[in-house]
Amino acid sequence: MKRKVLIADDEEVIRKFLRIHLDKLGYEVMEAADGEQAIEQLGKDDFDLLICDIMMPKKDGWEVIKEVKSNPKTKNLPVIVLTAKNEDPDMFKGYDLGANYYITKPFTKGQLLYGLKLMLEEPASSL
Amino acid sequence: MEDQDRKKVILTLRWTAIIVTSYLILFGRGRVTDLQLSHLLIAVYLLSNVLLTFVPKKWFSNTKLFYPLVLFDTGIVSFGMYLSEKMTTDFYLVFFLIIIFASISRNFKMLMVIGGITALLYGILLYSWGLLITEDSSSYTLRIPFIFIMTAFYGYIVQTLTKEKRQELTISEDKYRGLFENANDGIILLRNPQLIVVDVNREVEKAMGYTKGELLQREVFDLFVPEEMEESRDYFKEVTEKGEGRADCLSLMKKDGSLLEVDLSTKRIDLGDESFYQIIFRDLTEQRRLEKKIRQSKRNLEAIFDGIRDQLSIQTPDYQIFRVNRAIIENYKLTYKELFGRKCYEVYFQRTLPCEKCPISVTIETKQPASSIMKLSERDTTLQIFSYPILDEKGELASVIEYMKDITEEQRLHEQLIQSEKLAGIGILASGVAHEINNPLSGIIGMAEIALEEEDPSKIRSYLTDIINCSERISEIVRGLKSYSRAAKKGELGLVDINEVLEESLKMVRLATKKTPVEVIKKFQSIEKIQANMGEIQQVFTNLITNAFQAMDGKGGNLVLSTRSLKDSVEVKVSDHGVGIPQKYLNQIFDPFFTTKNPGEGTGLGLNIVYRIVTKYEGTIDVESKEQVGTTFTIKFPTRRVEV
């Protein structure tokens, strides 16, 4: 069974190339263009990974992570924060909220693959 | 005695005297030598009293009337006696006895008693001599009432005269005593030429602490402090030479040995054959103490005046300098003499007319304090000038204090603060911009990596198109940054078009807040340009527009920017439909470092800088806000701004 990944980012071009990478790796990819859509998708389906942007309209990434981690159903879902906010306080805030990995924009394919490997091939949920 | 009574009494007495005298002449049956002359005499006497009835009453209070009256009556009676020839020597004697009694008597009643006794004694005498039974007895009998009546007449007149005199003396004595004792000044009477105290008033006793008894008969020099013996002797030498003199440097010595500084005035008074010196003195102790206090407070004020390092200058209402503090003397390197009487605008501002924004002119006109800021470009100095009115007792403007504070350094620091806030603002903006750049940059890197691995040319083309789009977005952001930094450069004053500034600021803020779903409504009128630093005005609106966007973050709404021209100003409104400002914060929002944002997100200087810049250009800023409804900032800049 294919592993399911949700990409939540308001930037279309980023969703586009992430999907290409993840397709190649054999994941099933779903997209959300803002925070509300992301929560909606998470409610409908079971996912193996959430890649979440922070600065999104309607509901920002912090809110999404808070809701994911406070919901018993999704509380063990690994979350990779993908953001242009690259200062240390932001990173700490991300981890405090329960994010499992943190990638700052701009990033390379290598950084992404490392994160994916860490989250999905290792027993990521126990991190 | 009443004038009315007096006239009546005198007339009655005279009538009686006339009747008695006439009887004596007519019925004396003596050898009247000349009957006609006798009748004439009686007629004259009668006529005199008839005439006297027409004399006004008040004349009778004048003692001068009595002297001729007494003389006249005495003459007539004596002449009548002479004519009757019955008057023997003894009668003359009795008559003159009556006059003597009357003259020396002080008491009318006693006189009447004496008159009665004399008349009785005379009657007994006549009787014992057997004269009352002769044929001439009637002339003798008549003598007895004559004696009594004449005594009464003279007695009354003499009595009246002496009483009058005594009364006058008593009155003037009382008056003088009253003045003497109740005077607020000390009065000492000295006998001339011995200069010995003969009287002092109560004030002297009170001031010197001696009783009157202790002072009487002392030599005047004893009253002065021994150290001033020389001076007091000189003073009295002068007084005895000139008859009067003043001195305000002598001190009396009190009983307790302390000094009594006095202002002395001495004058010689001649009373009949006696001569006195009257010394009047006023206690100067209190006055000296007050003078000292006034001098001290004057010195204190002068020290404060001179100690103030800002420039203080006092001008008359026609701009003439008449008092300056040390700071002015030092600053302008002019002496007080060189400054005095010159016009302030000539000396301080090298002008021939009062300065256009002169606060003194305002104070002269309104009698109210005023202030303004003057830039002296040739000296590279900024002065804040305050003027305060000094009013006289009638409330008219007496003079104006001009207080000149050099705020050049303060202005510089202010500008520095604006600059540093600007940098902080750029920092915040930069992180926003960086985020904006990082997204397309991620797109570029990501797409390029995929393109590298892709072999299908049509797919590669699609990836490259994405890369170009992302690159264009980045270059657009960079262009916006450039225009902002251009405006942010420390600029000189110039004419600023606020509409243009609003457009620029909006563009800039938009870069960082692209995702907030805000509709911008512009209601720009063509407005007058203002004299200002472009960068500062841009900062005002960048801050306000940024706040507006942040207030509508995640919520959306309209941002209304409007401009319009008013009479002497231009008005700009920045209105949002954001979260609003809680009422309790409204009076704090312009305070420095006041922020409700998280640390690192806001400096708390944004609105403070807005406020400082607006007020720097003598503009005003008002805020209206309702929670969950929105906020409107209204800014007005004056359009006529004159720089010196």
Side-chain angles (χ1 to χ4, degrees):
Chain A
M1 184 185 154
K2 272 187 173 180
R3 299 213 187 184
K4 258 190 194 168
V5 178
L6 178 64
I7 304 169
D9 196 312
D10 60 329
E11 198 66 52
E12 199 194 334
V13 67
I14 289 173
R15 293 203 301 274
K16 188 174 170 185
F17 77 76
L18 280 176
R19 176 184 279 277
I20 294 169
H21 284 307
L22 291 166
D23 279 345
K24 280 186 185 167
L25 290 168
Y27 298 116
E28 187 183 342
V29 177
M30 305 285 274
E31 290 180 30
D34 59 52
E36 278 178 12
Q37 279 184 28
I39 294 294
E40 202 186 312
Q41 298 265 25
L42 286 167
K44 275 194 244 165
D45 239 324
D46 284 333
F47 290 95
D48 297 291
L49 177 69
L50 169 64
I51 297 175
C52 186
D53 183 25
I54 294 302
M55 303 272 280
M56 286 186 294
K58 289 181 188 169
K59 195 169 264 181
D60 69 21
W62 304 131
E63 289 290 320
V64 175
I65 296 169
K66 251 189 259 174
E67 286 186 33
V68 166
K69 293 293 169 183
S70 61
N71 186 342
K73 194 184 136 199
T74 54
K75 122 171 151 309
N76 292 321
L77 175 70
V79 178
I80 295 178
V81 173
L82 190 65
T83 179
K85 282 189 175 283
N86 53 7
E87 284 123 33
D88 287 345
D90 294 319
M91 209 187 295
F92 290 131
K93 188 176 175 186
Y95 287 129
D96 282 346
L97 287 174
N100 304 82
Y101 195 64
Y102 203 96
I103 298 174
T104 57
K105 294 177 185 175
F107 57 93
T108 60
K109 182 185 167 191
Q111 285 171 301
L112 175 73
L113 291 181
Y114 182 75
L116 287 173
K117 191 179 166 203
L118 218 58
M119 294 298 114
L120 295 172
E121 287 171 22
E122 301 290 312
S125 54
S126 67
L127 261 175
Chain B
M1 194 179 287
E2 299 271 320
D3 296 343
Q4 175 93 28
D5 299 342
R6 189 175 291 180
K7 185 179 177 181
K8 236 185 235 168
V9 171
I10 287 175
L11 287 173
T12 314
L13 282 171
R14 284 192 96 228
W15 284 128
T16 325
I18 290 163
I19 291 163
V20 174
T21 310
S22 306
Y23 264 105
L24 208 62
I25 293 167
L26 296 173
F27 303 104
R29 288 217 198 137
R31 293 170 292 147
V32 172
T33 45
D34 193 336
L35 199 62
Q36 274 187 340
L37 202 60
S38 303
H39 289 166
L40 187 68
L41 186 85
I42 292 165
V44 168
Y45 206 0
L46 273 170
L47 190 68
S48 78
N49 215 28
V50 171
L51 286 176
L52 207 60
T53 56
F54 295 105
V55 171
K57 280 177 216 156
K58 64 175 178 195
W59 283 32
F60 287 85
S61 46
N62 189 345
T63 48
K64 278 179 190 149
L65 180 77
F66 294 135
Y67 294 114
L69 211 60
V70 169
L71 213 61
F72 179 79
D73 288 358
T74 312
I76 293 272
V77 173
S78 307
F79 195 52
M81 277 193 236
Y82 167 73
L83 283 179
S84 75
E85 282 216 350
K86 286 286 175 201
M87 305 300 139
T88 41
T89 328
D90 66 309
F91 190 58
Y92 283 111
L93 202 70
V94 170
F95 179 62
F96 285 108
L97 208 62
I98 292 164
I99 294 176
I100 289 163
F101 280 151
S103 314
I104 59 167
S105 86
R106 298 253 157 168
N107 190 322
F108 188 60
K109 276 183 196 157
M110 271 306 282
L111 184 69
M112 294 310 286
V113 172
I114 289 168
I117 293 169
T118 311
L120 190 69
L121 281 174
Y122 191 61
I124 293 166
L125 213 57
L126 289 175
Y127 179 74
S128 64
W129 287 345
L131 289 172
L132 292 178
I133 47 167
T134 64
E135 55 180 295
D136 296 329
S137 65
S138 64
S139 80
Y140 288 113
T141 323
L142 280 169
R143 287 182 187 183
I144 295 162
F146 179 80
I147 289 168
F148 191 73
I149 298 297
M150 291 316 277
T151 311
F153 177 65
Y154 285 114
Y156 177 73
I157 287 173
V158 169
Q159 172 80 21
T160 312
L161 282 172
T162 50
K163 205 159 147 195
E164 206 104 291
K165 196 114 197 176
R166 207 163 44 231
Q167 214 163 24
E168 269 171 30
L169 270 175
T170 316
I171 289 167
S172 67
E173 165 80 8
D174 283 354
K175 270 188 199 157
Y176 176 72
R177 208 13 90 178
L179 286 174
F180 182 77
E181 288 298 352
N182 295 321
N184 284 325
D185 297 329
I187 303 174
I188 302 174
L189 274 185
L190 305 176
R191 193 177 297 286
N192 185 23
Q194 300 94 325
L195 300 180
I196 281 172
V197 178
V198 292
D199 200 359
V200 298
N201 70 351
R202 274 198 282 272
E203 185 59 30
V204 175
E205 296 179 286
K206 208 167 93 185
M208 296 186 67
Y210 286 107
T211 64
K212 193 170 182 171
E214 288 171 318
L215 288 167
L216 293 180
Q217 299 308 316
R218 285 174 68 173
E219 212 188 349
V220 70
F221 306 112
D222 286 353
L223 307 183
F224 292 94
V225 289
E227 292 82 4
E228 292 175 4
M229 185 62 87
E230 200 77 6
E231 289 90 335
S232 58
R233 286 202 185 273
D234 287 348
Y235 171 66
F236 280 100
K237 201 176 153 204
E238 190 198 321
V239 169
T240 41
E241 274 164 18
K242 291 190 188 162
E244 60 183 343
R246 283 187 71 108
D248 61 359
C249 54
L250 292 174
S251 302
L252 295 169
M253 191 158 81
K254 294 200 210 172
K255 193 176 182 181
D256 62 11
S258 60
L259 288 190
L260 182 67
E261 288 179 89
V262 288
D263 184 0
L264 280 181
S265 158
T266 307
K267 204 167 183 161
R268 191 169 64 224
I269 301 170
D270 295 314
L271 293 174
D273 47 0
E274 283 189 298
S275 175
F276 299 94
Y277 283 107
Q278 178 180 253
I279 303 175
I280 299 180
F281 69 80
R282 180 161 292 183
D283 181 356
L284 288 179
T285 318
E286 179 67 2
Q287 197 178 332
R288 289 275 149 86
R289 198 180 63 80
L290 286 174
E291 278 170 9
K292 208 171 145 190
K293 219 169 152 182
I294 289 166
R295 273 198 300 275
Q296 187 58 46
S297 86
K298 196 169 168 246
R299 264 200 297 275
N300 289 347
L301 282 176
E302 267 166 11
I304 293 168
F305 194 69
D306 274 335
I308 291 172
R309 297 317 299 152
D310 295 317
Q311 300 167 30
L312 283 170
S313 170
I314 306 180
Q315 270 93 259
T316 60
D318 56 353
Y319 305 95
Q320 281 185 349
I321 300 166
F322 75 88
R323 184 85 173 79
V324 295
N325 73 346
R326 202 176 292 153
I328 292 218
I329 303 230
E330 283 166 10
N331 192 49
Y332 292 89
K333 306 208 167 35
L334 291 169
T335 63
Y336 176 65
K337 262 190 190 156
E338 288 168 313
L339 289 163
F340 183 82
R342 289 182 63 193
K343 306 277 189 188
C344 56
Y345 47 84
E346 284 174 9
V347 181
Y348 305 142
F349 303 105
Q350 290 80 47
R351 294 172 65 104
T352 50
L353 286 170
C355 311
E356 281 151 71
K357 277 178 50 181
C358 174
I360 296 182
S361 308
V362 177
T363 300
I364 290 169
E365 213 171 289
T366 62
K367 296 186 205 167
Q368 296 292 323
S371 84
S372 75
I373 291 173
M374 294 219 199
K375 270 203 174 123
L376 307 170
S377 43
E378 72 274 13
R379 269 187 270 158
D380 198 18
T381 305
T382 308
L383 291 179
Q384 183 158 26
I385 302 178
F386 299 91
S387 70
Y388 301 94
I390 301 178
L391 302 180
D392 62 17
E393 305 91 60
K394 288 179 202 150
E396 295 299 319
L397 190 74
S399 48
V400 183
I401 302 179
E402 184 176 16
Y403 174 95
M404 289 176 274
K405 189 174 158 69
D406 187 339
I407 54 164
T408 317
E409 182 64 13
E410 201 182 303
Q411 289 282 76
R412 203 182 57 75
L413 288 172
H414 176 206
E415 259 151 37
Q416 232 172 39
L417 183 64
I418 290 179
Q419 198 61 29
S420 61
E421 201 276 344
K422 199 183 282 174
L423 289 174
I426 287 173
I428 291 167
L429 205 69
S431 80
V433 170
H435 175 250
E436 288 304 309
I437 291 177
N438 282 339
N439 267 328
L441 203 54
S442 303
I444 292 170
I445 293 167
M447 284 302 173
E449 280 173 337
I450 293 167
L452 275 177
E453 291 166 8
E454 187 56 59
E455 271 156 32
D456 179 351
S458 68
K459 276 188 180 167
I460 291 174
R461 200 171 293 126
S462 137
Y463 299 156
L464 290 178
T465 311
D466 284 330
I467 290 172
I468 289 167
N469 286 341
C470 289
S471 306
E472 273 173 0
R473 272 172 58 194
I474 292 172
S475 69
E476 191 192 319
I477 292 166
V478 172
R479 259 202 308 278
L481 272 182
K482 246 175 158 175
S483 88
Y484 182 79
S485 74
R486 196 175 55 232
K489 267 183 202 159
K490 192 191 175 212
E492 290 302 312
L493 287 184
L495 285 174
V496 176
D497 181 344
I498 293 181
N499 290 344
E500 200 180 290
V501 170
L502 283 169
E503 292 279 12
E504 286 289 322
S505 304
L506 184 64
K507 212 185 277 176
M508 190 58 232
V509 178
R510 262 303 201 194
L511 281 178
T513 55
K514 232 168 181 174
K515 284 174 204 124
T516 313
V518 168
E519 193 184 337
V520 179
I521 301 165
K522 296 177 207 164
K523 294 178 181 167
F524 293 169
Q525 278 183 8
S526 147
I527 53 169
E528 217 177 311
K529 290 179 180 175
I530 63 161
Q531 181 86 8
N533 176 327
M534 169 91 165
E536 288 179 346
I537 301 301
Q538 178 145 44
Q539 188 165 9
V540 167
F541 294 112
T542 307
N543 287 5
L544 289 178
I545 294 170
T546 304
N547 284 354
F549 271 92
Q550 284 170 351
M552 296 187 281
D553 192 16
K555 178 182 174 212
N558 295 341
L559 169 71
V560 185
L561 301 175
S562 65
T563 58
R564 63 179 178 137
S565 276
L566 299 173
K567 196 164 155 266
D568 301 318
S569 58
V570 291
E571 185 192 76
V572 187
K573 277 180 193 262
V574 177
S575 235
D576 66 55
H577 289 171
V579 289
I581 303 164
Q583 194 68 33
K584 61 177 174 180
Y585 293 146
L586 270 182
N587 56 359
Q588 293 178 61
I589 56 167
F590 295 115
D591 294 350
F593 308 110
F594 176 79
T595 181
T596 54
K597 292 176 188 162
N598 295 324
E601 285 176 21
T603 57
L605 281 172
L607 282 176
N608 177 250
I609 293 295
V610 167
Y611 179 79
R612 296 181 71 129
I613 294 172
V614 170
T615 50
K616 176 183 168 185
Y617 292 105
E618 288 173 22
T620 58
I621 180 161
D622 289 304
V623 60
E624 277 173 72
S625 187
K626 207 166 178 195
E627 273 186 271
Q628 300 311 323
V629 175
T631 305
T632 301
F633 284 93
T634 307
I635 294 167
K636 284 176 192 161
F637 287 110
T639 42
R640 275 203 307 258
R641 212 179 121 72
V642 186
E643 288 289 333
V644 177

